[in-house]
Amino acid sequence: MKRIGIIGVGEIGRAIVMGLCHGGGASPEVFLSPRGARTAAELAERYEGVQVCAGNQEVVDRSEMVIIAVRRQDRHEALARLRVDDDKIVVNVMAGVGNDDLRRTLATDAPLVRAIPLPAIRERRSVTVVYPSHPEVNSLFEQMGGALPVADEAAFNVFSALTGTLTTHYTYLATLTSWAAAQGIASDDADRYVRDLFQGVGRALSDETRSLHQLAADHETPNGSNERIRTTWFTPANSEALNKALDDLLADLK
């Protein structure tokens, strides 16, 4: 794709632009909607080939592939009366908005593909779940960390629910830092140590020869500190509560 449009330039829209323009080499022309005007203007100034359009229809008209990244609750206002020709490819990255819903809104026969780009796509280090599989869309995301096509929308929704755990992880780390500070550790020192500790965990995750259960076991010794925290805090009740929260989120996404 040599011409890519993005409607909705929030955090994910910004990350996609940065991923498209990351690392030099030939980048596609990128056309941004005026939604999120400050971010769009910043990206246009930073990257050659990125332009801000006067409106969403201009984004569609100038693009071969259109990525729709507006918030779920804003989609009807943002997409109302938009004309999308059948030769376009539309990538739907709106959480909780199925392709049938989007097709009714756009009234188009253009191919629609759902995707879950994550913030790390800005560094081309994030696999992106897509449904249905589409060669051009798969190729786009392969360039930015990898594409993971899934068999149906039910599977897609499971992956979408998993993304809802990101801020829980960050809050867990923030809680560790706050606890250390309450013990008299300087906040900056606690923050630095927790970040470094879990960046190391992130690097260990790149070893795909070991399952996640195996990685956990490899970091424990019998009756050691890690085992103690895992068994006293992450109890079966704790695990069940997490599963229940994910079940409820998945039901809403359906």
Side-chain angles (χ1 to χ4, degrees), residues 59 62 170 234 245:
V59 173
R62 299 181 69 178
Y170 287 128
F234 200 66

Side-chain angles (χ1 to χ4, degrees), residues 150-166:
V150 296
D152 52 41
E153 205 149 28
F156 183 93
N157 286 335
V158 172
F159 283 100
S160 185
L162 290 176
T163 68
T165 64
L166 280 174

